[in-house]
């Protein structure tokens, strides 16, 4: 399973999705197919897909702003290692951090991963280096 996209791009198309998702329950097969195709087009245009939408819909809700953990509570677990997909998506969601070359590189990595092609060792190492430089952590 790959890392989901940050919900930012999905929020941008939320009004459109809010109109299209109920159409999937239509009793008219043509409407269902057309709605699914329209949702796919909207997701693709936003740089996301059905997997990202599903991940967002099934994610645990974020704690309310200003909420503090209960004293004595166990610390939150540290996130696991960042996948290539997750690192590339996080970088893509923060374009202001990247220089022109890095934006082109991250875009090409996302295209490669979307097509199901693995990264070369050099590509993976460069992605990790860019990710650590701008967002820290990762493997």
């Amino acid at each position: 399973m790959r890392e989901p996209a940050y919900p930012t791009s999905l929020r941008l198309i939320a009004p459109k999705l809010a109109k299209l998702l109920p159409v999937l329950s239509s009793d008219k097969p043509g409407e269902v197919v057309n709605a699914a195709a329209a949702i796919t087009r909207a997701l693709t245009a936003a740089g996301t897909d059905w997997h990202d939408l599903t991940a967002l819909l099934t994610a645990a809700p974020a704690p309310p702003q200003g909420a503090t953990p209960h004293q004595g509570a166990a610390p939150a677990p540290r996130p696991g290692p960042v996948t290539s997909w997750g690192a590339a998506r996080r970088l893509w969601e923060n374009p202001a951090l990247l220089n022109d070359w890095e934006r082109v590189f991250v875009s090409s990595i996302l295209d490669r991963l979307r097509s199901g092609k693995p990264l070369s060792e050099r590509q993976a190492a460069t992605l990790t280096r860019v990710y650590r430089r701008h967002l820290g952590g990762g493997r």
Side-chain angles (χ1 to χ4, degrees), residues 2-137:
R2 65 182 175 79
E3 290 275 327
Y6 277 97
T8 306
S9 52
L10 290 171
R11 274 192 224 120
L12 296 174
I13 61 169
K16 182 175 235 170
L17 294 176
K19 291 177 184 175
L20 291 169
L21 284 169
V23 181
L24 293 175
S25 67
S26 173
D27 60 349
K28 297 179 179 75
E31 287 181 359
V32 174
V33 170
N34 288 335
I39 292 169
T40 300
R41 286 191 303 273
L43 291 169
T44 301
T48 63
D49 60 21
W50 284 89
H51 295 95
D52 295 326
L53 178 59
T54 302
L56 180 64
L57 293 173
T58 58
Q65 274 190 320
T68 56
H70 176 69
Q71 282 187 327
R78 299 189 77 184
V82 176
T83 63
S84 295
W85 177 260
R89 291 305 302 244
R90 287 182 182 122
L91 288 165
W92 187 250
E93 293 289 334
N94 294 285
L97 299 176
L98 306 176
N99 63 37
D100 291 339
W101 182 89
E102 290 168 335
R103 276 191 291 278
V104 171
F105 173 74
V106 170
S107 175
S108 71
I109 292 298
L110 285 170
D111 289 343
R112 184 174 185 84
L113 292 171
R114 280 189 193 113
S115 69
K117 297 177 186 171
L119 300 184
S120 69
E121 285 185 34
R122 187 172 175 189
Q123 288 170 320
T126 301
L127 178 63
T128 299
R129 192 170 48 253
V130 171
Y131 180 82
R132 286 182 177 158
R133 180 181 313 131
H134 296 297
L135 299 173

